[in-house]
Amino acid sequence: MSTGHLRELPPETRARRARIFAYVTAALFVVGAVGFVAISGGSPLFVVAAATMIVLAALMVVAVHRASPATRATALAVAALGVVVGFVVAFATSSTDSGSSLMSMIGVAPVLLIGAFLVHLLSRAVEVHGG
């Protein structure tokens, strides 16, 4: 009788589930990126965030097909670069928008870092289990 733990699943099943999750999550990240740009009206901060999210979405798909430490490191570097550039843009525009761009970036930064973490998890799920 199965208790529902992932340890009881064959590696192929886990890898397949990771791939499906990667496709769904990548699609949601792209929709979120388009939403950022559409709602913000092309604000430079959200354009940076959207570009970073689209690159992370692509890395999610790459991670489940070519899992490697390099993929995980690239995702972390992309997310970190997106956060740094986002904060630079937010600081540069904060004098004209009463600091709302800084507050927006405080909300966007975790989304970008969660994207990098998801790439890491997806890559490990496929790599460790031989997918």
Side-chain angles (χ1 to χ4, degrees):
M1 181 150 111
S2 175
T3 60
H5 291 292
L6 287 177
R7 282 181 239 122
E8 298 174 5
L9 293 175
E12 298 80 19
T13 303
R14 282 180 270 192
R16 185 173 54 248
R17 287 182 182 182
R19 286 186 183 100
I20 292 168
F21 182 73
Y23 296 141
V24 171
T25 307
L28 290 174
F29 260 61
V30 170
V31 168
V34 171
F36 273 174
V37 174
I39 290 172
S40 72
S43 164
L45 169 68
F46 287 103
V47 170
V48 168
T52 305
M53 288 177 69
I54 289 171
V55 172
L56 287 172
L59 285 171
M60 285 178 197
V61 175
V62 169
V64 293
H65 292 286
R66 299 280 182 215
S68 71
T71 304
R72 295 189 294 272
T74 302
L76 183 60
V78 166
L81 182 65
V83 169
V84 168
V85 171
F87 272 114
V88 167
V89 169
F91 279 117
T93 60
S94 65
S95 63
T96 61
D97 65 5
S98 302
S100 66
S101 60
L102 286 173
M103 293 306 293
S104 296
M105 194 57 209
I106 290 171
V108 169
V111 172
L112 300 180
L113 296 174
I114 287 170
F117 184 63
L118 285 172
V119 171
H120 173 78
L121 291 179
L122 290 166
S123 178
R124 292 292 295 162
V126 174
E127 185 179 62
V128 170
H129 302 298

